[in-house]
């Protein structure tokens, strides 16, 4: 069963560009993971500190592998996020292009 996540993140004050850069790096590495079907993000035009991530993995094991990657740990270790929420998405909510 596919694992689909939607995450809404808010950058810490003055850290929007750094968070964008970190997400770009994470996106490139994550897309190369064997179990990743899609991984992308959007930055709000009206609020540059707000980001929405769309993640799609082939199964829970692939998602767990993503979370265990050193670059995923490094992303969170940078502590660029002031707050956020992650949601499980229903199958078919989004699909990779």
């Amino acid at each position: 069963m596919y694992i689909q996540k939607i995450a809404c993140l808010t950058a810490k004050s003055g850290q929007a560009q750094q968070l964008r850069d970190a997400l770009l790096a994470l996106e490139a590495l994550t897309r190369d993971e064997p179990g990743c079907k899609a991984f992308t993000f959007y930055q709000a035009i009206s609020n540059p500190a707000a980001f929405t991530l769309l993640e799609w993995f082939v199964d829970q094991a692939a998602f767990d592998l993503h979370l265990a990657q050193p670059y995923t740990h490094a992303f969170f270790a940078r502590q660029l996020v002031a707050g956020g929420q992650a949601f499980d998405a229903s199958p078919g909510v989004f699909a990779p292009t």
Side-chain angles (χ1 to χ4, degrees), residues 12 15-26 70-82:
K12 288 184 176 178
Q15 300 285 313
Q17 185 60 50
Q18 291 88 337
L19 180 55
R20 179 180 174 77
D21 293 343
L23 285 169
L24 283 168
L26 182 63
Y71 48 83
T72 303
H73 286 273
F75 170 81
F76 288 110
R78 293 187 64 188
Q79 299 183 357
L80 299 170
V81 177

